[in-house]
Amino acid sequence: MAKKWNMIVDVEKCDNCRLCFLAVKDEYTGNDFAGYSAAQPSLGHSWLDIKRKERGTYPIVKANFLPVMCNHCDDPPCMKAAKNGAVKKRADGIVIIDPEKAKGQKQLVDSCPYDAIYWNEEKEIPQAWTFDAHLLDEGWKKTRAEQACPMDVFQTIKVEDEEMKQIRSKEGLEVLKPQLGTQPRIYYKNLHLINKCLVGGTVVEDINGVEECAAEVEVILEKEGAEIGRTRTDFFGEFVVDKLEPNSGSYQLKFSSKMGQISKNFELDEESLYLGVIKLS
């Protein structure tokens, strides 16, 4: 089987420095690459963008960043919406919007469920990140984004589909909007930092009539009587349990220390929760 290009993006490592965004801008703004892409406009296009996600509320708030770009789907909606073969899927997995054939086909912008296709008003063409295909075809092993990133967020790899399947399973990789069945070739590590919920709180205890932060308290999260998470409070009495499904309903937290035990029930909707100050009895 043929080897195909894939990219792994580690959400946990991204600190929003935006050097990847600038590298893509530098590569494509003002530069035409015949057969691959026309020049990207200097303003309005973010072929590689960084989205921000905040979870929780004060004093426990987690902020993470999600690099997003064309997903180079194996079943690309843009190719179905294109006329005259304006979008092609290469044998190596890369999707190319032909800058000549796609002229006037603004419907391609709306066809992308990832909002990764942009309209070039001056040239009247839809455009998206080409996976730096013009560079890879010259023998490059890494995309510009990977080269520019100081945090090792990106990993460009060319492997057979079966090997990629094994890597995905081993590293717990996910794709955006899997329910669409578009089969993206952009895989995310630690995506729970974006699409899952956390619950946190602050545990205190009474010591000689004074409320003190309760460190090293065992915290057990249960759902329908079954344990699904376990942690301990930190020096400030704070705890966080992560990777919870949004809108997943009822949970129970159990706290245990030398000073006492207590349980707390809560309902989880689509947003992460800070449960406030919890006092051990």
Side-chain angles (χ1 to χ4, degrees):
M1 294 179 64
K3 292 184 177 181
K4 300 177 183 178
W5 289 105
N6 306 269
M7 176 173 282
I8 298 174
V9 182
D10 193 338
V11 178
E12 188 174 41
K13 293 180 177 179
C14 183
D15 65 358
N16 196 34
C17 73
R18 304 190 74 84
L19 289 178
C20 57
F21 167 83
L22 292 174
V24 172
K25 278 290 185 182
D26 177 69
E27 184 67 26
Y28 293 97
T29 300
N31 296 320
D32 287 296
F33 300 106
Y36 299 96
S37 64
Q40 179 186 153
S42 58
L43 299 174
H45 285 212
S46 298
W47 293 7
L48 195 161
D49 200 6
I50 307 292
K51 304 296 184 182
R52 178 188 178 98
K53 175 68 175 183
E54 293 184 4
R55 300 183 301 152
T57 54
Y58 177 84
I60 297 179
V61 181
K62 306 290 185 180
N64 290 98
F65 305 95
L66 180 72
V68 293
M69 67 290 283
C70 173
N71 277 261
H72 294 272
C73 310
D74 280 349
D75 188 16
C78 58
M79 191 161 69
K80 296 177 182 178
K83 301 176 182 178
N84 305 320
V87 179
K88 63 180 180 180
K89 178 74 173 177
R90 301 190 344 170
D92 62 2
I94 294 177
V95 174
I96 296 292
I97 301 175
D98 189 293
E100 298 294 333
K101 294 181 179 179
K103 187 174 178 63
Q105 297 196 42
K106 197 172 184 178
Q107 77 277 6
L108 297 187
V109 176
D110 294 330
S111 73
C112 178
Y114 306 100
D115 298 323
I117 300 178
Y118 294 81
W119 182 248
N120 187 323
E121 190 66 40
E122 179 183 357
K123 298 180 182 295
E124 296 185 326
I125 57 172
Q127 296 181 285
W129 179 61
T130 66
F131 213 110
D132 294 354
H134 62 292
L135 299 177
L136 299 179
D137 287 351
E138 290 181 358
W140 288 42
K141 303 301 181 183
K142 299 179 180 180
T143 61
R144 286 290 308 271
E146 182 177 358
Q147 289 185 332
C149 179
M151 304 303 294
D152 294 325
V153 172
F154 305 95
Q155 182 183 1
T156 312
I157 56 176
K158 189 178 186 182
V159 295
E160 294 182 358
D161 286 345
E162 185 58 34
E163 183 177 352
M164 190 64 220
K165 183 178 179 180
Q166 294 173 7
I167 294 172
R168 180 178 182 179
S169 177
K170 180 180 179 180
E171 299 189 18
L173 305 180
E174 301 178 72
V175 297
L176 298 180
K177 301 182 179 181
Q179 70 276 13
L180 299 179
T182 58
Q183 304 175 60
R185 289 199 165 270
I186 307 300
Y187 296 90
Y188 290 89
K189 192 172 186 177
N190 295 309
L191 190 58
H192 68 275
L193 297 172
I194 303 295
N195 64 6
K196 296 294 190 295
C197 290
L198 60 82
V199 60
T202 305
V203 182
V204 300
E205 53 191 353
D206 191 307
I207 300 179
N208 299 324
V210 179
E211 282 191 356
E212 298 282 1
C213 298
E216 290 299 314
V217 173
E218 186 175 59
V219 183
I220 299 174
L221 179 65
E222 295 183 352
K223 186 171 181 59
E224 298 177 351
E227 180 181 326
I228 61 172
R230 182 184 293 252
T231 188
R232 287 185 177 273
T233 58
D234 63 15
F235 179 79
F236 300 101
E238 295 181 343
F239 71 91
V240 171
V241 182
D242 207 340
K243 300 183 181 181
L244 304 180
E245 290 291 340
N247 298 307
S248 50
S250 301
Y251 291 87
Q252 183 179 55
L253 280 167
K254 293 183 177 180
F255 306 89
S256 178
S257 76
K258 294 179 181 180
M259 299 298 295
Q261 297 180 343
I262 192 174
S263 64
K264 184 176 182 63
N265 297 324
F266 67 92
E267 295 283 328
L268 185 62
D269 55 23
E270 62 183 13
E271 295 295 337
S272 297
L273 282 178
Y274 173 64
L275 298 174
V277 176
I278 301 163
K279 185 175 181 179
L280 291 175
S281 56

